[in-house]
Amino acid sequence: MKVNHLFIGGKWTAPAGSDTITVTSASTGEYLGSAPAGVERDIDRAVRAARSAFDAPGGWPAWEPERRAAALVRLADALDAGREAMAGTVSAQNGMPISTAESFEGAVPALLLRYYAGLAAGASGEERRVGLPRGSTVVRREPVGVVAAVMTWNFPQTMAFFKIAPALAAGCTLVLKPAPQTVLDPALLADAIGTAGLPEGVINIVPGGPEAGAYLVSHPGVDKVSFTGSTAAGRRIAAACAALLRPVTLELGGKSAAVVLDDADLDAHTDQLFMASLVNNGQTCFASTRILAPRSRYPEIVELCTAMARGAVVGDALDHATQIGPLVSARQRDRVEGYIRKGLSEGARLTTGGGRPAGLDRGWFVEPTIFADVDNASTVAQEEIFGPVLTITPYEGEDEAVRLANDSAYGLAGTVWTSDLDRGARLARRIRTGTVGLNGYLPDVTSPYGGRKASGLGRELGPEGLQAYQEFQSIYCP
């Protein structure tokens, strides 16, 4: 796929610059396609288009909520019609196993659009409250304005629609900046936007690298920033938004703990544990990559996790039998292999993996890797690896399990594994993290998702995700 133009103002337009972004297959290293690399003039045009769509009389925020909701449903229908192509395109670029891509990249965007269409339809933008000490107040919800959405590569469409769906429902317009690793799937999104008949300038797409993202984040025509990506990049974006007093939502990294209680039946939940810890080849911010195991069952749990990793089918991302595909790039593979060497140098015990799988000489593959006897203070237990590497650390009693789970710079997610769900819920309430799953993990579209500490600011999904794209105005009445 060779994309020659940028999607700005509802049209495919020639880029201002001549540079392109080349994408190679994560599974083979072969050329997949290219797209223009947006420059400052492209971003200026995209912001102007979004600004016009927002500010024009009768523009997108002035539409009745039911009319906006109908447009969201049309976009969902268009995405559903192309879901197979979208899943395959994402899988080829970033190495996501195709079965995972079909469940997430091919399905979640339309699900989010329909959910937020339901919230928007018939919603009142005003309420009257009885005032104190007298009178009353009209409280209005208004769209925040033009949104700069700076995207990640690991779940590029899913995470994009964490932003697009509520922003559109609120009446905002957007400029999307896809990550350079995944610049082909946005062309399919642009086609769906055209098919759905969204007004010109409501969604604009300008791929680019960090420089383009930084320029967009600080652009004077932007009213809000929403970013998904690394904590390091998130800190830079937060600093820029702080200087501008610009609202920002940050969904950043994680190093989540899987607390296995002594009554857990992991044999019954092996598939769920695999999904919670190794989904998308470990390239997942919410993955429970720190396994905390009770000493009374420690050898058994180490054996189970080792067998789970050793038995995973590693292969081409586009093969439906594949459970672990390649990493997104050679650079990412080098990074993960560096962490594996670090784990060994710090004294962790390698029970399986640690190298490159035999017979897969092309692409960016790393074997699913398990480290046992890991000190929770060690590098591999504290830093986000973003690959198929799990650590196992023993604990004595629930209090120590909670202490170890909370002994992290991150606070995005986590899991608790138990046969007693009430017990699991009590322990989950003690973990300082934005989300926790019991005997599995999957974000719920209807509930807030986001992190604490170095995992970010703000929440996405649920009604809270809609509120992130709204501002309040109070009109005091006598």
Side-chain angles (χ1 to χ4, degrees), residues 247-465:
V248 61
T249 299
L250 301 172
E251 200 279 279
L252 308 178
K255 189 69 178 180
S256 302
V259 181
V260 181
L261 296 182
D262 53 16
D263 65 348
D265 184 0
L266 289 186
D267 288 329
H269 297 293
T270 303
D271 290 346
Q272 291 88 341
L273 179 61
F274 182 93
M275 182 71 178
S277 59
L278 290 170
V279 63
N280 195 20
N281 320 325
Q283 298 178 137
T284 305
C285 52
F286 62 66
S288 290
T289 55
R290 286 189 298 144
I291 312 294
L292 305 181
R295 286 195 182 276
S296 61
R297 298 183 57 190
Y298 187 71
E300 168 200 347
I301 292 167
V302 169
E303 182 179 351
L304 182 144
C305 292
T306 300
M308 177 184 74
R310 189 175 291 150
V313 178
V314 182
D316 190 302
L318 293 174
D319 186 339
H320 276 87
T322 293
Q323 295 173 288
I324 297 288
L327 300 180
V328 68
S329 65
R331 178 181 179 183
Q332 182 65 15
R333 181 180 64 181
D334 291 345
R335 181 177 185 272
V336 171
E337 289 177 334
Y339 275 109
I340 291 172
R341 290 192 296 271
K342 186 68 172 177
L344 291 170
S345 71
E346 291 182 336
R349 175 165 59 95
L350 184 69
T351 68
T352 191
R356 299 180 184 181
L360 293 171
D361 300 325
R362 301 189 303 164
W364 322 123
F365 293 91
V366 173
E367 291 177 318
T369 299
I370 303 293
F371 281 118
D373 308 341
V374 175
D375 187 328
N376 196 62
S378 67
T379 302
V380 291
Q382 288 293 315
E383 296 186 10
E384 186 176 41
I385 297 174
F386 230 57
V389 180
L390 307 183
T391 66
I392 309 177
T393 300
Y395 71 83
E396 292 278 5
E398 288 188 14
D399 288 345
E400 186 180 17
V402 170
R403 181 184 65 77
L404 291 172
N406 289 334
D407 183 17
S408 173
Y410 297 100
L412 179 60
T415 52
V416 179
W417 305 83
T418 178
S419 294
D420 184 341
L421 294 181
D422 289 337
R423 180 189 180 194
R426 288 194 299 271
L427 189 137
R429 290 182 174 93
R430 300 173 63 190
I431 300 176
R432 293 194 297 274
T433 187
T435 60
V436 184
L438 300 182
N439 294 336
Y441 187 93
L442 188 65
D444 177 2
V445 167
T446 71
S447 303
Y449 170 83
R452 303 179 184 180
K453 301 185 283 185
S455 289
L457 298 171
R459 292 295 181 267
E460 297 182 303
L461 302 183
E464 294 81 4

Side-chain angles (χ1 to χ4, degrees), residues 131-274:
L132 289 175
R134 60 185 177 274
S136 64
T137 299
V138 174
V139 179
R140 303 182 62 243
R141 295 174 183 260
E142 299 179 314
V144 70
V146 173
V147 175
V150 181
M151 304 314 309
T152 183
W153 52 261
N154 61 329
F155 288 86
Q157 289 296 312
T158 297
M159 300 311 298
F161 276 90
F162 274 31
K163 307 171 192 318
I164 294 170
L168 292 181
C172 297
T173 59
L174 302 101
V175 178
L176 308 183
K177 204 290 289 180
Q181 295 88 342
T182 46
V183 295
L184 302 182
D185 53 288
L188 303 180
L189 169 59
D191 287 342
I193 292 167
T195 299
L198 266 64
E200 295 179 357
V202 169
I203 302 178
N204 308 272
I205 307 173
V206 182
E211 298 82 5
Y215 184 74
L216 175 61
V217 162
S218 298
H219 199 285
V222 166
D223 298 302
K224 176 186 169 68
V225 174
S226 185
F227 171 72
T228 299
S230 71
T231 296
R235 293 186 193 279
R236 293 192 293 271
I237 290 172
C241 290
L244 295 166
L245 296 180
R246 179 167 294 170
V248 61
T249 299
L250 301 172
E251 200 279 279
L252 308 178
K255 189 69 178 180
S256 302
V259 181
V260 181
L261 296 182
D262 53 16
D263 65 348
D265 184 0
L266 289 186
D267 288 329
H269 297 293
T270 303
D271 290 346
Q272 291 88 341
L273 179 61
F274 182 93

